[in-house]
Amino acid sequence: KKSASHTKVIEVSIRKSRILNKELLEDDYDTKSPEPGDIVHAYVVTTGKMGCFVRISRSVEGRVQLKQLTDAFLPDPVSAFPPGRLVVGKVKGVKKGNKGMMVDLDLRETTLLEAKDKLTFEDIKVGSKYKGHITRIEPYGVFVHIENSHVSGLAHLSECSDDYIKNLSGMYYT
């Protein structure tokens, strides 16, 4: 190829699939655009205060907003997502850019592990038992997140044990 500055650009690959495949690159994975809902691998190109830009393939770039980098608080996104880091994300949207396709990604673990058969509030029945984990401890009770759902709630101090409990933080942990 010739670039705008009249220098020659050579695309090189050492991937086994490219070396063994004698067909042209036009039908290769790199020229296909990911679709919303796809899980893709990408390399971080640059990271700033607003999020990061990634490269999925030669013709597909992506961006990740700061709030979609991780589920946890991220004090320094630049050091957590340095250039060259391999990341896995879920495609949220795809649009045509100047140099190819531009993809919006979400790297949060909760998004990647999202199941289609999650419990809803309406699915939960009084008297039934569900697995969950404690997300926060307060003097009046503990907050519990129910597994495989977006549902969480308060287990009051009186519901935490059959015996009297003076200090919940000594009995439970997050």
Side-chain angles (χ1 to χ4, degrees):
K1 283 189 196 179
K2 285 208 175 200
S3 69
S5 64
H6 302 300
T7 58
K8 292 184 179 182
V9 176
I10 299 173
E11 294 180 355
V12 179
S13 176
I14 58 172
R15 290 181 12 203
K16 191 174 187 177
S17 61
R18 296 228 182 176
I19 294 169
L20 297 177
N21 190 355
K22 301 205 190 269
E23 295 178 12
L24 295 175
L25 298 177
E26 298 307 316
D27 295 328
D28 197 15
Y29 168 79
D30 288 348
T31 61
K32 295 178 185 165
S33 175
E35 296 180 10
D38 287 352
I39 304 295
V40 296
H41 292 78
Y43 287 98
V44 174
V45 175
T46 184
T47 304
K49 291 186 231 175
M50 302 299 287
C52 71
F53 288 94
V54 297
R55 181 168 297 280
I56 298 168
S57 69
R58 291 181 183 157
S59 60
V60 182
E61 294 180 350
R63 72 174 184 165
V64 185
Q65 294 178 345
L66 181 63
K67 67 181 180 181
Q68 295 175 335
L69 287 173
T70 181
D71 290 314
F73 173 69
L74 193 60
D76 186 15
V78 176
S79 64
F81 291 90
R85 178 178 174 185
L86 178 64
V87 294
V88 178
K90 186 173 190 175
V91 177
K92 292 296 186 185
V94 180
K95 51 190 158 181
K96 184 89 170 137
N98 294 344
K99 299 179 181 178
M101 300 307 290
M102 182 58 116
V103 176
D104 287 321
L105 291 176
D106 191 337
L107 306 183
R108 294 176 294 182
E109 187 176 0
T110 53
T111 303
L112 292 171
L113 299 177
E114 204 171 63
K116 290 185 170 99
D117 57 345
K118 284 196 176 258
L119 289 173
T120 63
F121 184 76
E122 291 76 25
D123 295 332
I124 296 173
K125 306 294 180 216
V126 175
S128 297
K129 296 178 184 178
Y130 300 94
K131 288 185 179 182
H133 63 274
I134 296 172
T135 57
R136 196 168 84 207
I137 302 170
E138 296 293 336
Y140 49 85
V142 295
F143 287 89
V144 179
H145 178 266
I146 297 175
E147 286 182 11
N148 195 29
S149 76
H150 290 294
V151 180
S152 62
L154 171 70
H156 187 266
L157 176 65
S158 62
E159 298 294 326
C160 291
S161 176
D162 292 329
D163 299 325
Y164 173 74
I165 302 172
K166 187 172 185 175
N167 183 7
L168 282 173
S169 60
M171 184 171 206
Y172 298 106
Y173 60 92
T174 56

